[in-house]
Amino acid sequence: MSTFDEAKNNYLLTTLPAYEFASVRQALERVSLTTGQVLHQSGYDFDYVYFPTTALITLLYLTESGTSVGVGMIGREGVLGIEIFMHADTALSLAIVQNGGIAYRMKTDAFRAKCAAAPACQATMLRYTQALFDQVSQAAVCNRFHTVQQRFARWLLESSDRLGANRLTITHEQIAGSLGVQRSSISIAAHNLSSSGIIKVERGSVTILDRPGLELAACECYKVVSDDYYRLLGQRIPREHSDKPSQPCNSDIPESATFTTNL
């Protein structure tokens, strides 16, 4: 009788044919990621690629002045370090663990070799590369044209999908850092959505109560990114959710990172 392999909680891994998954699985190492952990920095070489299963990773773009803003997030639907597949050796963004959890990592050389020998893996990674590029591009549009409340609603939906939880353990300050806005703007947006019965706000956590209502409150960017992922990879970003909270955020984004304000 076969048992379920926890690594298959990552959607990209579970889509691989059994024989390709078995080959890739040999090079994977299970690791526990902690909130606030920096996985790679802009301009530095990659050591590993990461396939999250219960962790959530935020991508931040850094400017020469030292400011930064979130441009994407990666959870159980994707892989961090896809640039390696495209034969890039250094990262363009800062990758920080937004919610601690489990991921499976693989050394970069092994990742290239395994995918080169596996046609389905190559195709999956190419499609995911396009999906991630589209997500980052859409984030740029969203940061420029949409209100803080719309962006906050979109952020909650995307985080919930990638974590598989309706309750997100995170502070307003951390959300503001990810969206590149002032904390007070997040507090106002959270109050508005809470007053409408869409979310429940408690100290250090946000619970989604009315998902259809939250989707209506979000800008069109959430649906655009979700539909694009479906177009490229044949399935919606997984939306199975539980009431179990995400792992507590016991660490803030490093003090060395400052954030742009886009109100």
Side-chain angles (χ1 to χ4, degrees):
M1 181 177 179
S2 61
T3 57
F4 180 76
D5 190 323
E6 185 188 36
K8 287 190 175 182
N9 284 325
N10 179 278
Y11 176 67
L12 295 185
L13 293 177
T14 199
T15 59
L16 298 179
Y19 65 94
E20 288 194 9
F21 174 78
S23 175
V24 169
R25 185 67 179 86
Q26 294 173 359
L28 291 172
E29 173 191 7
R30 185 182 188 272
V31 292
S32 180
L33 305 179
T34 58
T35 302
Q37 180 179 352
V38 175
L39 298 181
H40 64 63
Q41 299 185 53
S42 177
Y44 285 80
D45 290 348
F46 292 100
D47 294 319
Y48 297 93
V49 296
Y50 293 83
F51 293 88
T53 57
T54 62
L56 183 62
I57 300 164
T58 294
L59 300 177
L60 301 172
Y61 182 79
L62 303 178
T63 67
E64 290 185 358
S65 64
T67 58
S68 60
V69 66
V71 295
M73 61 175 68
I74 298 169
R76 57 186 180 152
E77 89 300 339
V79 56
L80 173 68
I82 193 64
E83 295 94 330
I84 289 297
F85 179 71
M86 307 302 292
H87 295 280
D89 293 321
T90 58
L92 292 177
S93 60
L94 174 68
I96 293 179
V97 180
Q98 176 179 300
N99 285 84
I102 301 301
Y104 284 79
R105 71 181 185 182
M106 183 188 304
K107 290 186 176 181
T108 55
D109 289 344
F111 180 63
R112 286 195 183 109
K114 293 291 183 181
C115 282
C121 182
Q122 288 188 50
T124 296
M125 296 306 159
L126 281 171
R127 289 193 295 268
Y128 177 71
T129 299
Q130 183 63 54
L132 184 61
F133 175 81
D134 293 345
Q135 179 192 160
V136 172
S137 299
Q138 194 67 36
V141 174
C142 190
N143 290 342
R144 174 64 180 85
F145 292 108
H146 296 139
T147 68
V148 172
Q149 183 163 309
Q150 288 176 315
R151 293 165 58 197
F152 174 52
R154 171 187 61 82
W155 184 93
L156 288 174
L157 290 166
E158 291 181 348
S159 295
S160 175
D161 288 349
R162 287 161 174 78
L163 282 171
N166 284 320
R167 182 185 174 196
L168 307 175
T169 309
I170 195 165
T171 66
H172 288 185
E173 185 175 1
Q174 290 164 329
I175 298 170
S178 293
L179 294 180
V181 300
Q182 295 179 348
R183 183 190 183 282
S184 59
S185 299
I186 296 299
S187 296
I188 293 170
H191 174 75
N192 292 339
L193 294 175
S194 178
S195 298
S196 301
I198 294 174
I199 63 174
K200 179 180 180 180
V201 179
E202 298 175 294
R203 184 175 179 83
S205 72
V206 179
T207 303
I208 299 174
L209 302 177
D210 178 5
R211 185 178 180 87
L214 190 60
E215 291 186 9
L216 287 174
C219 54
E220 70 270 19
C221 296
Y222 171 70
K223 187 175 186 300
V224 168
V225 171
S226 180
D227 288 350
D228 187 61
Y229 188 93
Y230 175 76
R231 175 180 65 85
L232 291 165
L233 290 152
Q235 179 171 314
R236 300 290 177 187
I237 295 175
R239 293 185 182 180
E240 301 84 5
H241 301 97
S242 69
D243 293 327
K244 181 179 179 181
S246 58
Q247 185 169 319
C249 290
N250 50 24
S251 172
D252 290 329
I253 290 174
E255 295 181 359
S256 59
T258 56
F259 298 89
T260 58
T261 300
N262 185 11
L263 298 177

